[in-house]
Amino acid sequence: MAGRFIITKDKGGVFRFKLVAGNGQTLAVSGEYGSKAACVNGVEAVRRHATDAKVDDSALEPLQI
């Protein structure tokens, strides 16, 4: 099953989205949006830009494989 974006609205009227993998694991959570339209625009921005995104590793620890 493919991943999906889930848009939610909390009791305070704030919208957020999260990206969930096919296995149900949450991969990313957005910040707050004041409207559903703005939240949908955020989803679309991630969809457009994530395919070409580079990893900028500023972690202080080296990767242990």
Side-chain angles (χ1 to χ4, degrees):
M1 177 157 119
R4 62 190 175 135
F5 289 92
I6 299 173
I7 295 174
T8 59
K9 181 179 179 183
D10 67 19
K11 292 178 183 177
V14 174
F15 292 87
R16 290 181 179 80
F17 69 83
K18 62 182 175 179
L19 174 59
V20 179
N23 66 359
Q25 179 181 6
T26 299
L27 302 174
V29 178
S30 76
E32 299 178 348
Y33 292 91
S35 71
K36 186 172 182 179
C39 190
V40 170
N41 286 340
V43 168
E44 292 305 319
V46 171
R47 293 174 107 176
R48 275 193 313 275
H49 300 291
T51 59
D52 298 330
K54 305 284 188 262
V55 175
D56 183 3
D57 184 357
S58 60
L60 299 177
E61 299 178 10
L63 179 62
Q64 301 291 325
I65 299 178

